[in-house]
Amino acid sequence: MGHKRLWLIFTFVVVASFAVLGYYGKEIYREAPPQPTRVITTDGKEVFSGLDIKDGMNVWQSIGGQEVGSVWGHGAYVAPDWSADWLHREAVFMADRMSEEKFGKKYEELPDDQKASVRISLQGELRKNTYDAATGTITISPLRAEAIAHNSKHYSDLFMKGENLDELRDAYAIPANTIKDEKRMHMMNAFFFWSSWACVTQRPGQEITYTNNWPPDKLVGNEATGSLILWTGFSVILLLAGIGLLAFYYAVNHGDEVEHDKLPKLDPLLGLSPTPSMSATLKYFWVVCALMVVQVILGAVTAHYGVEGTAFYGFPLAEYLPYSVTRTWHVQLGIFWIATSWLATGLFISPAVSGHEPKFQAAGVNFLFVALLIIVVGSLAGQWMGVMQKLGLEANFWFGHQGYEYVDLGRFWQSFLLIGLFLWLFLMVRAIWPAFRQQQENRHLLMMFLIASAAIALFYAAGFMWGRHTNLAIAEYWRWWVVHLWVEGFFEVFATVVIAFLFTRMGLIHSKVATLSVLFSTIVFLAGGILGTFHHLYFTGTPTAVLAIGASFSALEVVPLILLGFEGYSHFRVSKAAKWLQAYKWPIYFFVAVAFWNLVGAGIFGFLINPPIALYYMQGLNTTPVHGHTALFGVYGMLGIGLMLFVLKGMASRHVWKDGVISFAFWSINIGLALMVLISVLPIGFLQTLASVEHGFWYARSAEFMQQPGMDTLRWLRVIGDTIFTVGILALGWFVVGLKAGFSVKEKIDLNSDGLL
């Protein structure tokens, strides 16, 4: 297939996909769970104001938001899902009152037929939509108002300093006095009520709730709908069809690889002389290693909070660094170091491809480096101040903690980062533009490189589409533009193009073959990836059509992951084809690891939770971090490390690396990641899934279930994988330091040498 046809297909896929994404985005705005102006009882008493609910969301965000438990299934996993927990507690209180009134006993003491009678009455009250669009009010019964007051007392004791809940607070890793003000607590209770109200209230004219009957809870009538099963089956069919077409494509195009006898006899990068701006990227990679080490240490602390509550081996660490802070920093630093590695690789490769060093390019690279350091330090400090309740709600939104997982940094730091991304784009374009004008052979590849670079800057701007009081359903829609389209989408396209450039520059792939491969891979990836964004939004207050589209296209997302697996194996075979390629063994091995974790982490573990019926029971359980760790670190982290090593090798191509430490680091990181998941997080997730199916989602996330001795043992088993993984990361950092200090290299070869070994 020629370049022109592929470009036409690429354009159609992107335009059509974003048209659908935009249209249903408008539907999400139109059908989002309404934010009322008041919540009142049938006798006219105001329970919550609309501002209470909106400001209550800001209070929840200020303590960490999705880093402290979850809402609608999105967030952290130690504390409960507050929407599910509030809903079940409210329902139990009301069921007990109804049972006592009608039969003189609590609900659990009744025989099955009487329980059924109470359930029908309870569901009739909870599921009925009493929102009046004309007045903006939600009307509830006095009994439900009592249940709200009962829940409010429980949550106030939990988040403030109720001495009777010390043990439960410890189980949730929530320090006493997380909320220090009664007014703030009242507002957060209002938000929790509204988030649970959306989970149980039926959409006007329909028999499903605003969250498509999520979370599973038979007491309130939340059970899986037929559409979940229908679209799950359809997604499996699409997956099989996609894999079949992919296999056919590879069967037809097999043999496009470069013949071994046509590979360069010497390393083409031996004569590379890094320009000042290329050399200036070295400090980026030092920071990458430092952030990586800190991130892994914070991950170990965060995981430990799951077994020891608010302490770290007896030390009351949560008084200074609560779980919500360590988890926030752990997630954010992961994104920071991965993105920094990729951005620095782009800055290095642009002058290398064009052979042109623009005036003041090195100064621009250095300025961007300082700006990124300020963003990292400033945003982390602001998040700590927000969680420690040292900022007002508006100041927290701008400088503290936004409360949305992966987009936690305050709006000011978010703005600063966006400016930095556009500065990076400017530096990239000015360095590579001469090559685009002169190199006819690589022009298509360069065009894709520029498109991917522009998309990285542009799509981060989606994080500015919500404000401080934006409806949670709408904020979630835009948040996943950032998380899915920015991180999982166009960063992957960018990385694919960069690897193609590297391999083309080294003579491993013909330029034409590389260009066709990149265009085809991008088309296949984006065909499922753009609309696959909707699989994150099944149960976040979106219409059923979102579920249907998300299920269908998220299945197609798995297809290109198999393609990447083939490419990884191809790279591995090529790496054995010439003696000089042994110098690039470890960068290539990390690329092979990317292919492996793409198939296992993003593919198998991703599809494990993505089908609607699976996600209905699994969303917010430990099956999610199984996918999160193996995809985020396994794919993007390994890719960031591989790119870093490639650049470090390119900066000093005549230095021969010692294999010992880097070999140990590679295998320790991969084995540790596998053990972390397989002997701890995945078994916990499967047990939670069984509990979710049998008893309800609230139970699968409850302290009653999670604090059982067997679950505690499984959490402790994670220490094995975490330790091996951490030692591997430390070894990698030590190796990179050794490249500068000299103890990671063994000799410097001559340009006239016959090879590297």
Side-chain angles (χ1 to χ4, degrees), residues 165-498:
L165 291 183
D166 284 343
E167 187 175 336
L168 188 61
R169 246 194 314 270
D170 204 49
Y172 293 163
I174 297 174
N177 272 334
T178 293
I179 303 282
K180 297 175 171 61
D181 178 75
E182 289 280 359
K183 185 178 179 182
R184 283 195 172 199
M185 192 64 240
H186 171 76
M187 293 188 293
M188 193 165 79
N189 281 329
F191 170 67
F192 285 162
F193 161 75
W194 175 82
S195 71
S196 69
W197 176 86
C199 291
V200 75
T201 302
Q202 293 179 341
R203 289 183 176 275
Q206 300 183 46
E207 294 188 1
I208 58 169
T209 71
Y210 285 104
T211 57
N212 287 313
N213 281 7
W214 187 92
D217 191 338
K218 293 178 183 177
L219 181 60
V220 301
N222 273 6
E223 299 190 59
T225 63
S227 61
L228 293 175
I229 300 170
L230 171 67
W231 291 108
T232 296
F234 190 67
S235 70
V236 173
I237 292 170
L238 280 178
L239 173 63
L240 295 175
I243 292 173
L245 289 173
L246 182 67
F248 174 77
Y249 171 83
Y250 264 87
V252 170
N253 291 279
H254 184 70
D256 285 342
E257 296 179 13
V258 178
E259 296 87 346
H260 290 187
D261 59 353
K262 293 184 179 181
L263 289 172
K265 302 303 180 185
L266 294 175
D267 180 1
L269 299 183
L270 279 176
L272 179 66
S273 297
T275 67
S277 71
M278 293 166 68
S279 298
T281 62
L282 178 60
K283 54 183 166 289
Y284 282 75
F285 296 112
W286 293 341
V287 170
V288 165
C289 290
L291 294 182
M292 194 188 311
V293 169
V294 175
Q295 188 223 356
V296 169
I297 292 171
L298 286 168
V301 173
T302 303
H304 188 80
Y305 275 141
V307 295
E308 205 179 338
T310 54
F312 187 74
Y313 294 102
F315 179 75
L317 184 62
E319 293 180 14
Y320 312 99
L321 283 178
Y323 172 90
S324 58
V325 172
T326 62
R327 190 178 191 273
T328 298
W329 289 356
H330 172 66
V331 172
Q332 188 166 304
L333 286 177
I335 295 172
F336 276 152
W337 76 254
I338 291 170
T340 300
S341 178
W342 294 14
L343 297 180
T345 300
L347 292 171
F348 178 86
I349 201 173
S350 297
V353 169
S354 67
H356 172 66
E357 172 85 350
K359 193 175 182 180
F360 303 122
Q361 181 78 355
V365 172
N366 290 330
F367 179 80
L368 180 60
F369 176 77
V370 174
L372 290 176
L373 283 183
I374 294 172
I375 292 167
V376 171
V377 175
S379 63
L380 297 184
Q383 287 158 352
W384 181 85
M385 291 181 69
V387 170
M388 302 306 284
Q389 300 292 281
K390 296 180 182 295
L391 300 173
L393 296 182
E394 189 168 355
N396 178 72
F397 174 76
W398 283 97
F399 300 101
H401 202 306
Q402 281 204 58
Y404 292 126
E405 194 177 24
Y406 299 107
V407 198
D408 294 299
L409 64 171
R411 180 57 55 88
F412 172 80
W413 306 111
Q414 197 179 7
S415 305
F416 201 165
L417 179 56
L418 182 64
I419 293 170
L421 289 173
F422 274 102
L423 173 59
W424 169 79
L425 177 62
F426 170 73
L427 293 172
M428 294 274 290
V429 172
R430 73 193 297 258
I432 208 168
W433 191 252
F436 182 76
R437 295 176 59 187
Q438 298 166 10
Q439 295 184 20
Q440 295 294 328
E441 186 180 9
N442 286 331
R443 180 166 288 187
H444 294 282
L445 199 58
L446 288 166
M447 175 62 77
M448 184 58 72
F449 183 75
L450 292 174
I451 290 173
S453 300
I456 287 173
L458 289 169
F459 278 91
Y460 187 71
F464 292 80
M465 298 302 292
W466 67 79
R468 188 161 71 88
H469 284 157
T470 298
N471 190 305
L472 181 61
I474 294 168
E476 281 290 278
Y477 169 72
W478 289 111
R479 181 174 78 92
W480 286 107
W481 272 60
V482 178
V483 179
H484 186 89
L485 289 175
W486 186 64
V487 177
E488 299 181 40
F490 287 98
F491 257 122
E492 176 118 17
V493 174
F494 174 77
T496 303
V497 178
V498 168

Side-chain angles (χ1 to χ4, degrees), residues 30 88 90 274 278 335 346-347 408 410 557 629 633-634 713 720:
R30 192 171 64 84
H88 190 75
E90 186 179 36
M278 293 166 68
I335 295 172
L347 292 171
D408 294 299
E557 284 186 274
H629 282 83
F633 193 99
T713 300
I720 299 171

Side-chain angles (χ1 to χ4, degrees), residues 492-547:
E492 176 118 17
V493 174
F494 174 77
T496 303
V497 178
V498 168
I499 292 174
F501 266 125
L502 290 173
F503 281 17
T504 302
R505 182 75 169 78
M506 296 171 69
L508 303 180
I509 307 176
H510 288 310
S511 178
K512 182 179 179 180
V513 173
T515 302
L516 292 174
S517 176
V518 166
L519 275 169
F520 180 79
S521 300
T522 301
I523 289 167
V524 175
F525 184 80
L526 294 182
I530 294 174
L531 292 178
T533 305
F534 280 153
H535 79 253
H536 300 284
L537 303 173
Y538 293 159
F539 311 117
T540 58
T542 56
T544 307
V546 167
L547 186 150

Side-chain angles (χ1 to χ4, degrees), residues 540-608:
T540 58
T542 56
T544 307
V546 167
L547 186 150
I549 295 169
S552 303
F553 285 89
S554 65
L556 294 178
E557 284 186 274
V558 181
V559 174
L561 304 182
I562 297 171
L563 181 148
L564 290 172
F566 287 146
E567 288 186 350
Y569 178 66
S570 174
H571 297 337
F572 176 76
R573 289 180 61 195
V574 171
S575 72
K576 304 291 185 182
K579 192 176 181 183
W580 61 267
L581 276 165
Q582 289 300 302
Y584 297 90
K585 173 182 177 180
W586 295 110
I588 292 175
Y589 268 36
F590 274 100
F591 293 153
V592 173
V594 170
F596 172 80
W597 290 111
N598 246 322
L599 178 60
V600 175
I604 295 173
F605 290 147
F607 195 71
L608 172 70

